[in-house]
């Protein structure tokens, strides 16, 4: 029954896209964020629906969409360079079969990041993609938030609709993404035009933000807690009432502690001492192995080259018995451990060159978004009041994602390339509007000189 529902839903979605081609962008976002093929038992598992949606989205733009306002930015050129370099490292990978498996979805995610700014030509389209990203992710977040509120969740215990905890269904990843979405949810609540900004929309947005904040609790992901603290700090710095909201936030955090599961507070305690947790200890060991690897392989080893790592490290734990409590150190040998960091993932797989391209893309996006914020921060007209808040929301979401990716291997996730596309699309849209306004102003001035009506 579930399979039939997904087939009918996607079929209707595609048919609507043939009438309104931009809806195929929404189909692509839905499939790459929700991954309905993982929720399906049989029917969708054997069909490459993600590639079909990608091809339909690009094909519709090529055939019927208006291209006169399209702009190509340097960041899109860097993305093309990155995907070309990833293709090269895949051909020369240490593990060709495994590398090809990852390449099959990575290239599409990056190319989508190149393509999406070309269709984000209006405010409505930019806002529509934001809304679809939020709603698609909310299918996972609301599910996890309700289960957390009702049962408390647990590390590796919270079921997010699928048994396979990859993609956004992995606890640390969805916690990071959920916190990164909060600024965009609040922007839609305040400045959105697709839905009326009435009490029902605001109630849904606030409840969704609460569900986002519950994700680190339900998954017991330390990454999510770090992201939440950083976001609270950034929002407090932007607030005009820091000395009012700051103490209230601290009081709310203290008041929430008694209601948190004991397993959550114990796991969060390992943030202070990574040697007390095996997962954190292996991450540090993998990172050190990666630094040694790229010294002898500066071009990287291709996707999933972490499979060859092998290392030993000291882990310590507290043991309580009849003789009391004591700290025991033990030597542990491990191999084939994943990077658990987007930064080391890029460095190990793509080498210094690939890492530099990737870092430059994110750095330029951050700088350009900050420039937009500064340019429009004092403009409160009805046509421009939404711009600076959106720049802030995208900037905060981007920062949160990049901080979360310090501890999770999410360098190539489609979600971040959609967020980068939003930043590029907003930038190119505003650049085009400024040029159009400048041309109109110049035309009016020339007409005035000649004594003609403007």
């Amino acid at each position: 029954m579930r399979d039939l529902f997904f087939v009918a839903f996607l079929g209707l979605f595609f048919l609507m896209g043939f009438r309104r081609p931009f809806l195929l962008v929404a189909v692509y976002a839905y499939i790459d964020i929700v991954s309905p093929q993982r929720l399906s038992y049989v029917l969708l598992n054997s069909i490459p629906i993600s590639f079909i949606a990608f091809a339909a989205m690009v094909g519709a733009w090529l055939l019927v969409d208006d291209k006169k306002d399209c702009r190509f930015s340097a960041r899109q050129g860097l993305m093309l360079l990155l995907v070309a370099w990833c293709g090269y490292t895949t051909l020369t990978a240490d593990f060709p079969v495994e590398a090809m498996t990852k390449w099959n979805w990575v290239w599409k995610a990056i190319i989508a990041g190149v393509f999406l700014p070309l269709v984000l030509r209006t405010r409505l389209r930019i806002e529509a993609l934001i809304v679809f990203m939020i709603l698609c992710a909310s299918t996972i977040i609301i599910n996890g938030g309700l289960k957390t509120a009702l049962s408390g969740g647990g590390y590796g215990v919270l079921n997010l609709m699928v048994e396979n905890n990859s993609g956004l269904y992995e606890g640390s990843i969805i916690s990071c993404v959920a916190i990164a979405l909060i600024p965009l949810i609040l922007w839609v609540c305040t400045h959105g035009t697709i839905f009326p900004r009435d009490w029902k929309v605001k109630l849904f947005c606030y409840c969704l933000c609460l569900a986002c904040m519950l994700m680190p609790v339900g998954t017991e992901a330390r990454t999510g807690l770090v992201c939440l603290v950083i976001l609270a700090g950034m929002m407090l710095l932007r607030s005009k009432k820091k000395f009012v909201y700051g103490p209230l936030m601290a009081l709310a955090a203290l008041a929430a502690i008694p209601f948190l599961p004991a397993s959550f507070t114990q796991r969060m305690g390992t943030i202070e001492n990574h040697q007390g947790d095996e997962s954190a200890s292996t991450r540090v060991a993998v990172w050190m192995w990666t630094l040694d690897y790229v010294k002898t392989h500066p071009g990287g080893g291709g996707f999933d080259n972490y499979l060859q790592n092998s290392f030993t490290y000291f882990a310590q734990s507290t043991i309580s018995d009849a003789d009391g409590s004591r700290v025991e150190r033990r030597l542990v040998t491990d191999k084939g451990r994943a990077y658990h960091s987007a930064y080391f993932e890029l460095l190990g797989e793509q080498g210094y060159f690939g890492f530099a391209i990737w870092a430059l893309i994110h750095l330029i996006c951050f700088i350009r978004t900050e420039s937009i914020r500064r340019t429009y921060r004092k403009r409160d007209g009805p046509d421009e009041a939404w711009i600076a808040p959106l720049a802030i929301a995208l900037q905060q979401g981007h920062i949160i994602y990049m901080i979360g990716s310090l501890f999770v291997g999410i360098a190539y996730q489609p979600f971040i390339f959609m967020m980068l596309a939003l930043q590029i699309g907003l930038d190119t849209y505003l650049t085009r509007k400024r040029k159009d306004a400048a041309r109109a102003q110049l035309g009016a001035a020339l007409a005035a000189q000649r004594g003609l009506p403007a």
Side-chain angles (χ1 to χ4, degrees):
M1 191 67 181
R2 180 192 291 183
D3 285 21
L4 293 176
F5 170 79
F6 278 122
V7 170
F9 174 73
L10 286 173
L12 179 61
F13 219 161
F14 274 109
L15 288 175
M16 292 171 63
F18 289 122
R19 184 174 178 83
R20 292 285 186 271
F22 183 76
L23 288 179
L24 293 173
V25 174
V27 176
Y28 167 77
Y30 170 76
I31 291 174
D32 267 27
I33 292 175
V34 180
S35 298
Q37 62 271 30
R38 295 182 186 175
L39 301 174
S40 171
Y41 291 113
V42 179
L43 295 180
L44 297 181
N45 290 330
S46 57
I47 304 173
I49 57 173
S50 180
F51 178 77
I52 292 172
F54 176 82
M57 174 179 67
V58 176
W61 175 77
L62 289 172
L63 293 174
V64 299
D65 203 16
D66 188 358
K67 305 172 187 63
K68 67 177 182 180
D69 293 332
C70 295
R71 298 291 185 276
F72 196 85
S73 72
R75 282 163 285 178
Q76 290 164 282
L78 287 172
M79 286 186 193
L80 287 177
L81 184 59
L82 177 61
V83 77
W85 181 255
C86 289
Y88 167 74
T89 58
T90 300
L91 294 175
T92 59
D94 295 340
F95 295 89
V97 176
E98 291 80 0
M100 186 58 67
T101 300
K102 188 170 181 178
W103 163 260
N104 287 336
W105 64 266
V106 167
W107 74 266
K108 181 168 56 63
I110 300 176
I111 293 297
V114 177
F115 168 77
L116 286 173
L118 300 177
V119 300
L120 299 177
R121 299 182 292 103
T122 64
R123 174 186 176 178
L124 178 60
R125 290 189 173 194
I126 293 170
E127 185 180 339
L129 180 57
I130 292 172
V131 168
F132 269 99
M133 288 173 63
I134 292 171
L135 293 178
C136 291
S138 70
T139 62
I140 307 172
I141 294 168
I142 292 174
N143 176 277
L146 286 173
K147 289 180 178 178
T148 299
L150 295 174
S151 66
Y155 182 67
V157 174
L158 187 67
N159 187 300
L160 297 173
M161 299 188 289
V162 297
E163 297 293 335
N164 180 6
N165 66 339
S166 59
L168 293 191
Y169 292 98
E170 198 277 327
S172 296
I173 298 177
I174 190 59
S175 296
C176 173
V177 168
I179 303 302
L181 278 174
I182 290 177
L184 289 175
I185 296 171
L186 295 176
W187 180 86
V188 169
C189 176
T190 308
H191 298 279
T193 58
I194 293 178
F195 297 104
R197 294 192 291 273
D198 55 15
W199 68 270
K200 291 175 287 188
V201 172
K202 291 182 178 180
L203 179 62
F204 175 80
C205 289
Y206 294 147
C207 290
L208 183 56
C209 287
L210 177 61
C212 290
M213 290 187 284
L214 285 175
M215 290 308 300
V217 178
T219 60
E220 295 188 359
R222 292 163 296 195
T223 301
L225 179 63
V226 172
C227 290
L228 184 57
V229 171
I230 296 297
L231 177 61
M234 287 194 297
M235 298 183 86
L236 189 61
L237 287 175
R238 296 284 184 191
S239 173
K240 296 179 180 179
K241 299 179 180 180
K242 300 179 181 62
F243 298 104
V244 176
Y245 293 134
L248 288 176
M249 290 170 63
L251 182 63
L254 291 173
I257 291 177
F259 299 96
L260 297 174
S263 58
F264 173 81
T265 54
Q266 291 172 2
R267 182 166 172 79
M268 295 308 111
T270 61
I271 294 176
E272 183 179 355
N273 178 19
H274 73 273
Q275 291 180 326
D277 180 75
E278 184 177 349
S279 174
S281 298
T282 55
R283 294 184 188 196
V284 175
V286 170
W287 298 345
M288 298 306 296
W289 174 88
T290 306
L291 294 175
D292 292 334
Y293 178 85
V294 294
K295 289 178 183 177
T296 55
H297 302 79
F303 295 127
D304 288 351
N305 73 317
Y306 69 84
L307 294 170
Q308 62 191 297
N309 64 39
S310 179
F311 48 83
T312 57
Y313 62 95
F314 281 100
Q316 66 182 39
S317 57
T318 302
I319 297 178
S320 300
D321 52 23
D323 298 327
S325 298
R326 64 184 185 277
V327 176
E328 182 179 273
R329 285 170 56 86
R330 65 188 189 281
L331 187 65
V332 179
T333 301
D334 207 342
K335 61 181 180 179
R337 280 281 184 172
Y339 289 108
H340 291 294
S341 170
Y343 298 84
F344 288 94
E345 180 184 16
L346 252 296
L347 186 61
E349 294 181 347
Q350 309 305 329
Y352 295 117
F353 183 67
F355 178 83
I357 299 171
W358 177 79
L360 189 59
I361 292 169
H362 289 283
L363 180 61
I364 295 176
C365 274
F366 178 81
I367 293 173
R368 289 299 304 160
T369 307
E370 175 63 15
S371 176
I372 293 171
R373 184 193 70 81
R374 290 175 180 269
T375 301
Y376 291 89
R377 60 184 171 179
K378 294 182 180 180
R379 303 189 187 184
D380 53 3
D383 295 330
E384 296 181 327
W386 61 277
I387 298 173
L390 178 56
I392 293 172
L394 288 171
Q395 188 181 78
Q396 289 178 341
H398 191 184
I399 291 172
I400 291 301
Y401 191 94
M402 297 309 291
I403 289 174
S405 64
L406 283 166
F407 314 105
V408 191
I410 49 178
Y412 312 100
Q413 281 292 321
F415 179 86
I416 187 56
F417 286 103
M418 293 181 197
M419 185 168 285
L420 293 176
L422 283 170
Q423 295 180 60
I424 297 171
L426 177 63
D427 193 3
T428 54
Y429 166 73
L430 295 176
T431 301
R432 188 181 70 252
K433 296 290 284 184
R434 287 195 298 269
K435 289 181 178 179
D436 290 345
R439 281 195 294 266
Q441 188 176 10
L442 179 60
L446 291 175
Q449 278 184 346
R450 297 171 182 173
L452 299 174

